[in-house]
Amino acid sequence: MRATLIDGTAIARRIRERIRDDIKTTQRDNPTYKPSLTIIQVGQRPDSSTYVRMKRKALDEANINCNVSNYDESIGEAEILEDIWRLNKDPSTHGILVQLPLPGHLSERAITSAVAEEKDVDGFSTTNIGELAKRRGQPRFTPCTPAGVMVLLRESGVELSGRDVVVLGRSDIVGGPVSYLLKAADATVTMCHAKTRGIEDFVGRADVVVAAIGKPHFVKGEWLKPGAVVIDVGTNYIPDESKKSGQRLVGDVHFDSAAEVASMITPVPGGVGPMTVAMLLQNVVDAASRTMDSASSS
C-alpha cells in the first residue's frame, strides 16, 4: 500500500486562517493590537528573495505588518547591528528575523545574537535553545521548522511516546532543536549525521524518520522499516531540463521508493516548507500578545 501523504500545505493553511481570525477577534477588543515583524535581508540572493516574498505574502494575508529592511551585500556589520538595536527598542516591532545565509564577511552569530530575546521569533537565541534542550524547559519561542515538524506529526495522529525516531542532520536550525522536541514527547531519539557509520541500519530500525541532512534523495525506500513515518525537511535543487528554470526542488528522501514502504510521508514541496512559515506567524503573534499583556498589567 502506498503511503498516505501528509499535506503540509493544507495543515498550514488552516493554521494561517486561525491566526488571521484570532487577530481580528483581538483587534475588536483592542484596535491598537497589530502584530509586526521586520525581516533583515542582506544582498539579493534569489533563494533568499523568494523566501522573503513567501513570508511577506503569508504575513500580509494574516493581517500581520511586515517590514523588510534590504541592505546592499557590501554593508558593514556595524550598520546592521545598529539597526537591530534600534528595532529592539521599538515597541511597535514585535519580531525581528534575519534572513540567512548572510554574506561571508558578516558574522551570522554576532548579528543573530544581537536580536532581543523577546523579539527572536526564529527562536535561535542562546537562552531559548538552552531552555528548549532542558527537560521541562520553557523556551520563549520554538524554532519554526522544528515546530512545524511536530505539528505535522501531531495533526497526522502519530504517536511518539516510546517510539524509535531517527533524526538525520545535526544543524542548529533543524536537527538539534527537533531532537529536543522529540525527546520532550518521550520518543527515543537517535541523531545521525555525515560521520555516522552504517546510517541505513539506524534508519531501518526507526518508526519515524526526520530527514534534514541536506542531500538530495539521500534516504532510499529500501532503507526504511515497513510502515515508518517519514518527515522530509530537505530543500535541494537538482537539474531538470523539463522545467523552465532548468531545475526542480526535491527533498532528502527518494520520494517514490519511500512512498512504497512508509505508512505516511511528507512531499517536497508542500510538506514541511509551508509549516515553517505558519509557525513563524504564530511566533510573531505570541510576541505581540506578550507585549500587549505586559502593557496592560503595568
Side-chain angles (χ1 to χ4, degrees):
M1 180 180 293
R2 193 168 174 85
T4 299
L5 206 65
I6 300 176
D7 190 345
T9 300
I11 296 171
R13 184 185 305 115
R14 294 198 296 270
I15 293 170
R16 295 200 313 269
E17 290 172 352
R18 188 255 306 158
I19 289 171
R20 181 194 62 204
D21 293 343
D22 288 349
I23 290 172
K24 288 181 179 178
T25 299
T26 303
Q27 287 176 333
R28 282 199 292 268
D29 297 328
N30 186 347
T32 63
Y33 177 75
K34 187 67 177 178
S36 176
L37 172 71
T38 293
I39 299 174
I40 293 174
Q41 181 181 5
V42 182
Q44 293 296 324
R45 278 177 57 117
D47 55 345
S48 291
S49 295
T50 298
Y51 294 144
V52 169
R53 283 196 301 271
M54 289 170 53
K55 292 168 184 174
R56 189 167 200 165
K57 181 175 184 291
L59 290 156
D60 288 344
E61 290 174 352
N63 200 24
I64 297 173
N65 277 345
C66 180
N67 304 301
V68 180
S69 295
N70 290 113
Y71 296 96
D72 187 81
E73 190 167 352
S74 62
I75 191 171
E77 196 168 292
E79 188 173 345
I80 298 177
L81 291 173
E82 185 177 347
D83 197 17
I84 290 174
W85 293 330
R86 177 184 58 80
L87 291 167
N88 285 340
K89 296 177 182 178
D90 180 4
S92 67
T93 299
H94 303 110
I96 302 169
L97 184 151
V98 179
Q99 183 64 44
L100 301 177
L102 295 172
H105 69 284
L106 300 174
S107 168
E108 289 188 358
R109 177 178 173 81
I111 291 172
T112 57
S113 297
V115 176
E117 290 182 5
E118 66 272 17
K119 300 188 180 189
D120 173 36
V121 290
D122 256 341
F124 295 145
S125 73
T126 302
T127 300
N128 197 78
I129 292 297
E131 286 294 322
L132 194 69
K134 286 166 52 179
R135 189 178 183 191
R136 299 189 181 91
Q138 296 182 320
R140 191 184 295 265
F141 301 106
T142 301
C144 302
T145 299
V149 169
M150 299 302 291
V151 172
L152 286 175
L153 290 167
R154 184 180 71 233
E155 290 291 313
S156 301
V158 177
E159 176 60 49
L160 291 171
S161 180
R163 306 292 291 278
D164 290 321
V165 181
V166 164
V167 176
L168 300 177
R170 54 180 172 179
S171 75
D172 293 334
I173 296 174
V174 181
V178 81
S179 70
Y180 303 144
L181 294 170
L182 289 162
K183 285 189 287 186
D186 295 323
T188 301
V189 181
T190 301
M191 181 182 290
C192 298
H193 47 79
K195 302 298 184 183
T196 301
R197 297 178 180 179
I199 199 166
E200 59 269 29
D201 295 329
F202 288 100
V203 172
R205 293 192 291 269
D207 300 305
V208 179
V209 177
V210 179
I213 206 163
K215 296 182 179 180
H217 294 161
F218 180 75
V219 179
K220 311 299 188 291
E222 57 264 30
W223 292 7
L224 298 170
K225 177 180 179 179
V229 175
V230 179
I231 305 294
D232 192 348
V233 186
T235 53
N236 312 284
Y237 286 93
I238 62 173
D240 187 339
E241 293 181 359
S242 70
K243 301 293 184 182
K244 185 177 180 181
S245 64
Q247 59 184 7
R248 64 186 171 97
L249 180 64
V250 300
D252 291 349
V253 178
H254 187 272
F255 181 86
D256 288 340
S257 64
E260 297 298 329
V261 182
S263 61
M264 289 186 272
I265 189 170
T266 57
V268 177
V272 176
M275 293 299 298
T276 297
V277 177
M279 295 300 98
L280 171 63
L281 269 59
Q282 185 64 64
N283 281 353
V284 175
V285 168
D286 289 346
S289 297
R290 290 191 191 107
T291 299
M292 181 179 69
D293 292 345
S294 177
S296 63
S297 63
S298 60

